[in-house]
């Protein structure tokens, strides 16, 4: 009986200790403050009506958000990057409107500071909910590793050929 009481006492003390110092608690709530998302972002994933859309390995989409504009740049493996600039307005309570020459898009957003992910939600022209996830900006191009792999294969093959001829 004394052993059980000691174990329970240690367990309760440990739980209280961890709860006081934040261990085992939920991460900080998602932010809907626009100033938290003014940053550079790189597209991570897209969902339409909760179904993941495949993102091409041959493109990279980056976005820069500030208090007055949203600049989206799409870089393709072949060809020149294309940039679209939107004017930001109506920022309030986790929402904003982005307007360009093609019209306006109303977004709802939240920022996950623990994972450093920006979640944007809007409705497309077919009435589907689009959930776009951006991660912290990265200069790395999706096809950069592919080119290094091809280069390594070529170097390995030529080294093997040289060994055979000696």
């Amino acid at each position: 009986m004394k052993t059980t009481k000691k174990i329970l006492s240690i367990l309760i003390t440990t739980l209280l200790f961890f709860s006081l110092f934040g261990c085992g608690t939920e991460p900080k709530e998602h932010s809907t403050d626009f100033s938290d998302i003014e940053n550079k972002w790189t597209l991570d994933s897209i969902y339409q009506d909760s179904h993941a859309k495949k993102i091409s390995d041959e493109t990279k989409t980056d976005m820069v958000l500030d208090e007055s504009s949203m600049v989206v740049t799409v870089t393709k493996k072949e060809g020149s990057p294309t940039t679209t600039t939107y004017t930001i307005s109506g920022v309030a309570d986790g929402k904003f409107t982005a307007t360009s020459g093609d019209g306006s898009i109303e977004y709802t957003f939240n920022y996950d500071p623990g994972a450093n992910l920006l979640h944007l939600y809007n409705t497309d022209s077919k009435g589907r909910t689009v959930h776009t996830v951006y991660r912290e900006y990265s200069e790395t191009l999706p096809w950069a590793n592919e080119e290094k792999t091809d280069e390594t294969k070529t170097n390995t093959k030529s080294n093997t050929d040289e060994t055979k001829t000696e």
Side-chain angles (χ1 to χ4, degrees), residues 43-140:
L43 180 66
D44 186 70
S45 53
I46 299 176
Y47 303 89
Q48 282 182 331
D49 285 339
S50 301
H51 300 290
K53 276 186 71 180
K54 180 165 174 35
I55 297 174
S56 171
D57 291 338
E58 308 230 339
T59 63
K60 177 180 185 269
T61 304
D62 296 316
M63 175 178 63
V64 179
L65 271 172
D66 64 37
E67 62 189 27
S68 62
S69 66
M70 177 171 84
V71 179
V72 179
T73 303
V74 178
T75 305
K76 295 183 179 184
K77 185 174 181 179
E78 303 198 6
S80 300
T82 57
T83 300
T84 306
T85 302
Y86 298 86
T87 303
I88 300 293
S89 63
V91 177
D93 300 323
K95 295 181 181 189
F96 68 90
T97 301
T99 306
S100 74
D102 296 333
S104 296
I105 304 170
E106 291 186 25
Y107 287 100
T108 301
F109 69 89
N110 68 57
Y111 168 62
D112 180 351
N116 203 14
L117 294 174
L118 170 62
H119 300 268
L120 293 179
Y121 302 89
N122 66 296
T123 304
D124 70 8
S125 60
K126 295 180 181 178
R128 299 176 293 200
T129 300
V130 180
H131 172 197
T132 311
V133 180
Y134 285 86
R135 58 184 157 76
E136 186 173 20
Y137 175 75
S138 168
E139 289 184 13
T140 306

